[in-house]
Amino acid sequence: MKYFLAIIGGGPAGYTAAEIASKAGKDVVIFEQNALGGTCLNVGCIPTKTLLYGAKQYYNATHADKYGVKTEGVSFDYAKMVQRKMKVVRKLVAGIKQKLNNEHCTVVMGAASVVSRNDEQVLIACGEEQYEAENLLICTGSNNFVPPIPGVKDNPAIWDSTLALDSKELPQSMIIVGGGVIGMEFATLYHELGVPVTVIEAMPTILPNLDQEVVAILLEKYRKAGIQILTDTKVTEVQGNKVLTTNGEYEAEHILISVGRRANMQGLDALNDIEIYRGGIVVDEFMRTNLKNVYAAGDVTGKIMLAHVASRQAEVAVGRMLKQIPLQRIAYNAIPSVVYTNPEIACIGLTEKDLNEIKEGDFAPSMSTDEPFVPYEVHKLPMTYSGRFVAENEGETGLCKVIVDKRSKTIMGVHMIGNPCSEFVAAASFAVRMGYTVGEFKQVVFPHPTVGEVLREVIAEL
Ligand code: NAD
């Protein structure tokens, strides 16, 4: 049988594509070597958020006094937290299996590799079998990057995020190399469970790609709480449990390396003429590679390594294969991102740094030479402008910052810190995606009392 579509990789990109194409009546075969759900469901977003939720319950219980709640003798069972994490993962993976359980979708568990391709078909091998398809969608994801630092390789003290999530025992102490998203989420988990944490970041700041005013609030809180955060610090060598840096030596039971991920090109050797840029497969706006009928979606494209980007890319790719009208495109300018620290950080759109770096020609130049090419205004309020925030976030101030185009008053970016901003950043995403102006956004009614009202409050002042 010749399939309409073969998909390598069953993560958010792969399973989304398989579901859409098979539900449209096209025969699909999807290959997965580990477990459906990919990194996100099995060793990424979901297990991390499950453990973080457990840690937050413990942390809140031990800090309940400020809410008038007396707790004594509170303790936690980490092995049970890990067990619960596994239960959550199993449940969600079963949900994916269910979604793909239809007559047009064949799920093959095993490592697939491309045997050959031409403009009419692609041949894929998995185990003893070969599969023929009209189109190929590569969704092989990414792997943790292991930096070439002496002493890292084959060192039992070194963990990556997968090993950290697998461990049924909490480390006695932890050094985290890389203060990016993974690093800061694990710093939160371990700190809230009482583990001494040191974060070592090479750049002058943690979370370097985010709004730095928001990051500064997190940094101040975490440092005050006792997390040791070293910035501008390079790791030169690891000797067992000891980390040698440009800023002194540090020791911990485990060392978590979280310095980014790299596209996974496993099984793709036969596609030796596929275009690659900085390790990721190059795709156009419809997720097409330079090879006819070969598409790629998700982390393997090396674009923005987020599950929600992967699934949207998959929708766009399948829409193009099915020649759906109107053809869909992905709006990379309107991708929200959340960091599950405590407090949470949630962002969408341009930062001030982005705007200051925009080069002539990227946008229409403004009239004044002193101004950045997109003259912008920044408006902000502490989250305490929301009654619900004050009621629930004792001792926190939070921040909600909105960036608008000075000329058109279009909302270009929203950057927030404060719980639970991850839950209402979608409202800001909607505004940025649809190109709403301040005037249009003001017509939207937010329920009261909610923390999200702060967003409307900032915009209402404009
Ligand atoms: P990242 O790119 O977010 O952060 C890596 C950090 O390591 C950077 O701050 C970088 O400056 C630093 N670094 C690099 N080399 C270093 C070195 N030798 N010493 C010290 N610091 C060094 O990568 P990540 O945190 O590993 O996450 C990987 C991917 O997974 C990212 O694309 C991320 O967005 C995604 N992710 C997203 C979420 C979420 O959406 N909540 C959660 C986890 C991971």
Side-chain angles (χ1 to χ4, degrees):
M1 143 178 208
K2 187 169 177 177
Y3 291 93
F4 169 76
L5 170 62
I7 302 167
I8 306 183
Y15 71 69
T16 303
E19 188 187 0
I20 303 172
S22 61
K23 287 191 174 154
K26 299 290 186 186
D27 289 319
V28 175
V29 57
I30 176 166
F31 304 93
E32 171 53 56
Q33 60 185 350
N34 296 318
L36 285 174
T39 301
C40 164
L41 240 74
N42 295 284
V43 289
C45 319
I46 299 298
T48 319
K49 265 82 264 176
T50 310
L51 289 180
L52 275 168
Y53 191 73
K56 198 189 253 182
Q57 297 303 311
Y58 173 71
Y59 182 86
N60 286 344
T62 51
H63 291 74
D65 197 46
K66 58 188 177 185
Y67 297 102
V69 178
K70 295 279 174 208
T71 53
E72 267 167 38
V74 180
S75 63
F76 65 87
D77 179 344
Y78 190 67
K80 197 168 171 186
M81 285 187 188
V82 175
Q83 254 174 24
R84 183 176 161 269
K85 174 210 78 173
M86 285 152 75
K87 194 173 125 197
V88 168
V89 169
R90 275 199 302 274
K91 184 175 173 159
L92 295 176
V93 171
I96 302 295
K97 278 189 191 149
Q98 195 54 40
K99 276 185 175 184
L100 301 187
N101 185 16
N102 72 62
E103 56 176 331
H104 293 292
C105 189
T106 305
V107 178
V108 179
M109 297 308 292
S113 54
V114 178
V115 177
S116 63
R117 74 155 285 281
N118 57 36
D119 287 353
E120 271 70 56
Q121 65 164 40
V122 54
L123 199 60
I124 294 178
C126 186
E128 301 294 299
E129 303 287 323
Q130 293 211 337
Y131 302 81
E132 206 179 279
E134 254 173 77
N135 297 289
L136 170 65
L137 179 61
I138 303 167
C139 306
T140 44
S142 61
N143 294 318
N144 284 313
F145 174 62
V146 183
I149 298 172
V152 164
K153 215 168 161 234
D154 301 325
N155 178 346
I158 298 280
W159 275 359
D160 60 14
S161 55
T162 307
L163 283 174
L165 287 169
D166 267 359
S167 172
K168 292 183 183 57
E169 277 167 32
L170 209 51
Q172 296 293 307
S173 52
M174 177 57 91
I175 290 174
I176 297 175
V177 180
V181 188
I182 294 184
M184 294 319 296
E185 291 187 355
F186 275 97
T188 306
L189 171 70
Y190 293 130
H191 168 72
E192 293 198 334
L193 294 176
V195 175
V197 175
T198 301
V199 177
I200 301 176
E201 166 60 52
M203 301 284 282
T205 173
I206 55 165
L207 300 165
N209 298 326
L210 299 187
D211 178 276
Q212 285 305 303
E213 198 175 354
V214 158
V215 170
I217 294 173
L218 183 78
L219 200 52
E220 191 188 344
K221 179 179 172 185
Y222 273 21
R223 278 186 170 146
K224 259 192 200 149
I227 304 179
Q228 188 174 26
I229 300 177
L230 309 160
T231 50
D232 254 331
T233 302
K234 296 202 172 51
V235 175
T236 49
E237 194 179 339
V238 180
Q239 294 172 352
N241 298 59
K242 208 191 287 173
V243 178
L244 280 53
T245 78
T246 48
N247 229 337
E249 294 180 11
Y250 302 87
E251 211 171 317
E253 188 193 359
H254 280 288
I255 301 149
L256 175 73
I257 304 277
S258 51
V259 296
R261 296 178 65 86
R262 293 291 179 271
N264 174 25
M265 307 296 284
Q266 186 201 332
L268 307 177
D269 292 353
L271 302 177
N272 48 14
D273 43 357
I274 200 163
E275 198 184 333
I276 308 280
Y277 178 69
R278 291 189 174 171
I281 297 179
V282 177
V283 284
D284 69 4
E285 58 186 331
F286 302 117
M287 313 314 296
R288 292 181 298 189
T289 69
N290 61 317
L291 306 178
K292 191 166 180 250
N293 298 342
V294 178
Y295 296 70
D299 286 8
V300 74
T301 63
K303 283 187 174 274
I304 308 173
M305 291 193 180
L306 294 171
H308 44 283
V309 173
S311 47
R312 178 67 188 140
Q313 287 177 329
E315 288 169 0
V316 170
V318 175
R320 181 64 186 75
M321 286 176 216
L322 298 176
K323 301 188 174 62
Q324 279 171 348
I325 300 292
L327 280 171
Q328 300 189 40
R329 285 177 177 80
I330 177 163
Y332 286 109
N333 68 323
I335 305 291
S337 70
V338 174
V339 190
Y340 292 86
T341 43
N342 189 10
E344 297 169 348
I345 292 176
C347 310
I348 170 88
L350 295 171
T351 60
E352 285 179 86
K353 184 168 174 278
D354 294 332
L355 282 158
N356 292 330
E357 284 173 358
I358 285 172
K359 308 249 179 341
E360 191 168 2
D362 285 355
F363 284 80
S366 67
M367 301 304 286
S368 156
T369 48
D370 311 334
E371 284 176 319
F373 285 112
V374 176
Y376 65 88
E377 299 170 348
V378 179
H379 298 269
K380 52 194 168 188
L381 285 176
M383 290 256 175
T384 44
Y385 269 66
S386 147
R388 173 103 184 262
F389 183 85
V390 177
E392 295 183 357
N393 288 275
E394 192 62 43
E396 302 275 346
T397 44
L399 180 69
C400 176
K401 182 167 172 180
V402 178
I403 301 179
V404 300
D405 184 324
K406 209 172 187 173
R407 302 158 303 183
S408 62
K409 304 286 180 204
T410 305
I411 299 163
M412 296 193 292
V414 175
H415 307 277
M416 301 184 283
I417 181 164
N419 292 332
C421 60
S422 62
E423 288 301 333
F424 59 87
V425 69
S429 306
F430 203 79
V432 174
R433 174 67 183 92
M434 305 313 284
Y436 279 0
T437 61
V438 163
E440 286 163 334
F441 195 84
K442 278 183 190 174
Q443 296 172 41
V444 180
V445 177
F446 276 59
H448 175 79
T450 58
V451 179
E453 281 176 292
V454 69
L455 186 57
R456 197 178 183 285
E457 195 80 27
V458 178
I459 289 171
E461 291 201 340
L462 294 171

